[in-house]
Amino acid sequence: MAAHALQNAQEMIGYLHSAKQGLQSWWRQHPWMHIYLFPLLFFIITAIFALSLHFEFPYMDHWDLVRIYERMEDGSLKWADLFELHGSHWHTSAYVVLLAIAKITGLNHDWEIVASLGFAFVGFIGLFRIIQRSTELLDAGNVFPWLLGVSALIWWSLDQSANWLWGWQVAVFINTAGAIWSINFLTQRHLTALATIGAGISATIAILAFGTGLALLPIGLAILLVRWSAKEFKLNKTLLCFFGWVVFSGAVVWIYLGMPNGDPMTMDVENKVTGLEAVILHLTFITNYIASPVVRFASNLTIPLLVIIGVGLTLIARKTPIKAETIFPLLPFLAFIIYALGAASLTSFGRAAELGPDQAFVSRYISFGNFLWLGLVGLFFLTTKGLSQVTFPRHILPTLFALFVTLKIGNCVNVGNNYFEHKLERSESLRVIVTTAPQVDEDALSYFAAEHQNIDNEIAFLKGHNMSLFRKQNIGAPLH
């Protein structure tokens, strides 16, 4: 009996060994898997999550789109109306996408999520090109799959759930895609006037989706100044690109400052702060904002984490040989960091006084805060080339990297689970709305509108035109 059991165990070990060898052989024969496995996996997880749990009814600011659509249907909507500021943001490029979806699909919110995923995918292609170019320029091909995989974890992270699940937030992914491509164009190996125009168009699309895109204007100037100082191309071409960007930036700011705000902030700011107190308030807000993509689920770790990151960057800067010719491949990742800080500063300027520094932890902002971590991860891999150039104890950086990945996954699980529970809670509310509309059930609508929002007319419009949730004729059918 024992001999038989031993024989079975040996056969099992032999089978597992053969399976391992077969898997290793298959892996070697399909090198593309090294590069695309994790990005593809993260994308699939996020797509399934977003399409399964998204809002099936207009939510908060989304009701403004219903009003705009009503005006489009009755012929009273003008193109200029789409450029009106909404809470200090242009949403023009998002309006175009959302109105087209509403017209074609009857405001099927599934397609809004598809659009968000599509624009995020376009942004990831730009990120892929940046990573590929920088690793090639630094002869760091060995870290390319790792950098791409970790960047995919950040880009497709579920801690951005508020944006993945809310169709209105397609504006965020139009913005982030535009930001990536603007930086990509400006950091091409050979800058041309055409590339600068492409960067300007990308920045314009980003700015017309979300106000954080304004941070791209000084970033573009900084990149062009660095390239100018490097004297990598003729002076007249440098001047053309640089002053072209100056004119473009000035025009955007001038137009922005002259635009009316159709949705001004109505909250009263009590105990306005000034002086040192105001500086501390904004610095706290910005700190929370950029740390949120990693420690939103454990906000008390914000300061310790940033201190650790600062120490790690100091070690890299002091001990890793960085030559003048290696600065250019790092420019996109430095730009990512500046974009995150710019977005945090702009958001703090508009929100900190009214809502306090803890507002920076809302998951909607994580899509912008992620840029800081994309930049840091890029610098980590590119300056160390897989630790091959590190001269101080090698366990320090891997430990920091493992800490980052662990915290990021924890963030994703925490936020993703919160929205999964929210989905379960609002399901009955959706059925109440469908069965009672156009009568308004305040409790049911509490999941989809703020107390101050009067949306009786909008609900009646959607019901009368069989749009949004009311496209379903069979009340017992699945809601999406």
Side-chain angles (χ1 to χ4, degrees):
M1 190 71 167
H4 181 67
L6 179 60
Q7 182 181 0
N8 287 339
Q10 289 175 337
E11 289 177 354
M12 179 61 70
I13 293 173
Y15 173 78
L16 292 174
H17 182 69
S18 298
K20 177 184 176 182
Q21 288 182 327
L23 182 61
Q24 290 175 338
S25 176
W26 179 84
W27 186 264
R28 287 192 296 268
Q29 293 173 13
H30 298 82
W32 60 272
M33 289 294 293
H34 301 185
I35 299 174
Y36 301 113
L37 176 61
F38 286 109
L40 181 61
L41 178 63
F42 294 137
F43 168 74
I44 291 173
I45 291 173
T46 299
I48 292 174
F49 175 85
L51 291 170
S52 301
L53 302 181
H54 69 83
F55 290 94
E56 305 95 330
F57 204 50
Y59 175 74
M60 299 297 179
D61 292 11
H62 211 151
W63 291 104
D64 292 335
L65 179 76
V66 179
R67 300 184 186 101
I68 294 172
Y69 186 85
E70 287 185 70
R71 290 157 61 192
M72 185 178 75
E73 288 292 279
D74 65 24
S76 63
L77 183 68
K78 301 176 182 178
W79 270 105
D81 297 335
L82 300 181
F83 289 86
E84 193 174 73
L85 294 176
H86 178 278
S88 301
H89 296 284
W90 271 313
H91 291 317
T92 312
S93 51
Y95 287 153
V96 171
V97 172
L98 291 171
L99 289 173
I101 291 173
K103 183 68 176 178
I104 296 170
T105 71
L107 197 58
N108 183 339
H109 301 289
D110 292 356
W111 287 102
E112 294 172 343
I113 305 308
V114 170
S116 290
L117 291 168
F119 282 108
F121 189 79
V122 169
F124 188 74
I125 292 174
L127 181 59
F128 176 92
R129 291 172 63 89
I130 288 172
I131 293 172
Q132 185 179 48
R133 181 170 61 244
S134 293
T135 51
E136 288 177 354
L137 288 172
L138 289 173
D139 192 25
N142 61 311
V143 303
F144 174 69
W146 292 95
L147 177 52
L148 185 67
V150 179
S151 297
L153 168 65
I154 299 171
W155 190 258
W156 299 109
S157 60
L158 296 185
D159 50 9
Q160 310 167 71
S161 292
N163 296 331
W164 292 127
L165 304 180
W166 184 10
W168 170 264
Q169 295 296 83
V170 68
V172 169
F173 300 108
I174 294 174
N175 173 279
T176 54
I180 287 287
W181 277 95
S182 183
I183 293 170
N184 175 56
F185 279 123
L186 289 173
T187 55
Q188 296 283 348
R189 293 193 188 196
H190 304 289
L191 184 66
T192 63
L194 187 60
T196 308
I197 292 172
I201 293 173
S202 300
T204 300
I205 293 172
I207 293 167
L208 289 177
F210 227 84
T212 53
L214 293 168
L216 292 168
L217 301 179
I219 288 173
L221 289 175
I223 292 174
L224 290 170
L225 278 173
V226 170
R227 301 193 72 153
W228 186 356
S229 63
K231 300 178 180 179
E232 61 174 287
F233 44 86
K234 295 180 180 179
L235 181 62
N236 59 349
K237 186 181 291 185
T238 309
L239 291 174
L240 176 64
C241 295
F242 178 78
F243 286 110
W245 194 268
V246 170
V247 172
F248 163 68
S249 300
V252 170
V253 172
W254 179 72
I255 294 172
Y256 177 82
L257 294 177
M259 294 300 296
N261 194 336
D263 181 36
M265 297 293 290
T266 57
M267 291 178 288
D268 294 327
V269 182
E270 299 180 0
N271 302 320
K272 285 188 176 181
V273 295
T274 57
L276 180 61
E277 190 177 0
V279 172
I280 294 173
L281 170 67
H282 288 292
L283 287 177
T284 304
F285 189 100
I286 292 169
T287 299
N288 293 346
Y289 191 105
I290 60 176
S292 181
V294 181
V295 298
R296 184 183 184 274
F297 74 106
S299 56
N300 57 315
L301 295 177
T302 297
I303 300 301
L305 175 70
L306 293 182
V307 170
I308 292 172
I309 294 299
V311 171
L313 289 176
T314 301
L315 287 172
I316 291 176
R318 293 187 61 185
K319 298 294 186 178
T320 304
I322 301 178
K323 301 177 182 178
E325 60 267 21
T326 66
I327 294 298
F328 173 68
L330 303 181
L331 272 182
F333 301 94
L334 294 171
F336 292 163
I337 294 173
I338 297 171
Y339 187 64
L341 293 172
S345 300
L346 290 170
T347 308
S348 180
F349 179 76
R351 296 290 185 265
E354 291 86 354
L355 302 172
D358 286 345
Q359 168 71 8
F361 284 115
V362 299
S363 65
R364 297 193 308 275
Y365 299 151
I366 288 178
S367 298
F368 305 113
N370 271 340
F371 274 80
L372 176 98
W373 300 95
L374 286 171
L376 291 178
V377 167
L379 293 179
F380 166 76
F381 279 106
L382 294 175
T383 57
T384 64
K385 293 187 181 181
L387 302 180
S388 63
Q389 296 186 6
V390 175
T391 58
F392 54 89
R394 297 191 175 199
H395 65 276
I396 295 178
L397 288 180
T399 301
L400 291 178
F401 178 69
L403 173 64
F404 161 73
V405 172
T406 301
L407 290 173
K408 188 62 175 176
I409 293 175
N411 231 36
C412 293
V413 171
N414 176 264
V415 179
N417 182 65
N418 289 342
Y419 277 91
F420 177 77
E421 294 176 354
H422 192 274
K423 166 76 173 184
L424 298 178
E425 293 172 357
R426 71 175 188 263
S427 293
E428 182 57 30
S429 297
L430 290 169
R431 295 195 181 278
V432 171
I433 292 170
V434 170
T435 54
T436 61
Q439 299 300 316
V440 177
D441 185 295
E442 298 295 340
D443 291 335
L445 285 174
S446 64
Y447 285 99
F448 301 97
E451 292 182 2
H452 68 273
Q453 286 184 298
N454 183 356
I455 56 175
D456 298 25
N457 293 335
E458 286 70 31
I459 291 177
F461 177 84
L462 294 179
K463 175 73 173 179
H465 290 75
N466 297 316
M467 297 180 70
S468 186
L469 194 62
F470 304 110
R471 294 179 306 104
K472 307 295 183 182
Q473 298 301 314
N474 179 5
I475 301 304
L479 291 172
H480 69 282

